Amino acid sequence: MTVLNTPLISVSELKKSPTKAFQRAKLNQTGVFVIKHDQMLGVLLSLRDYDKIMKEIDELRWKVYNAGIEHKMNNNVPYLYTDYEFLGPTADPNPFFHND
């Protein structure tokens, strides 16, 4: 999101027509800065843009996580990994061992 090209909307405008504010955010493919008395209160996003940002954050978290594991493995860090440390969020939250 480019700050310089991001539209502004006042709180009073937002109260009058929230749907119009969301349409504006979607049309511009940016957030809409919500202001009150020349101070920034927040950013209004379309659902599509919010989902896109959350997906990018998730992908970056995985890259950081995998880089950490790769670093430990490449540097022979003598450490026993938990299921969560090795598998991340896909790990079974209640692992148990079979005696088969």
Side-chain angles (χ1 to χ4, degrees):
M1 178 169 25
T2 306
V3 174
L4 296 176
N5 297 328
T6 304
L8 305 173
I9 188 169
S10 69
V11 171
S12 57
E13 289 178 86
L14 180 60
K15 287 179 184 177
K16 288 178 189 173
S17 182
T19 302
K20 191 182 266 188
F22 280 105
Q23 289 171 341
R24 190 173 175 190
K26 185 176 181 180
L27 178 68
N28 291 327
Q29 295 183 353
T30 66
V32 174
F33 289 147
V34 180
I35 58 172
K36 182 176 183 179
H37 303 299
D38 295 326
Q39 290 200 3
M40 176 88 67
L41 296 179
V43 179
L44 185 74
L45 297 171
S46 70
L47 181 58
R48 181 190 66 220
D49 291 336
Y50 175 80
D51 285 341
K52 180 181 173 186
I53 289 170
M54 295 310 292
K55 182 179 178 185
E56 288 174 6
I57 288 171
D58 192 46
E59 288 172 1
L60 289 171
R61 284 182 179 147
W62 270 108
K63 285 181 181 180
V64 169
Y65 176 80
N66 288 329
I69 293 294
E70 185 177 339
H71 169 76
K72 289 177 182 178
M73 292 174 71
N74 289 339
N75 291 298
N76 296 321
V77 176
Y79 182 78
L80 296 176
Y81 297 97
T82 65
D83 284 352
Y84 187 82
E85 287 175 311
F86 193 75
L87 299 174
T90 61
D92 184 349
N94 299 308
F96 61 91
F97 296 98
H98 293 282
N99 290 327
D100 298 345

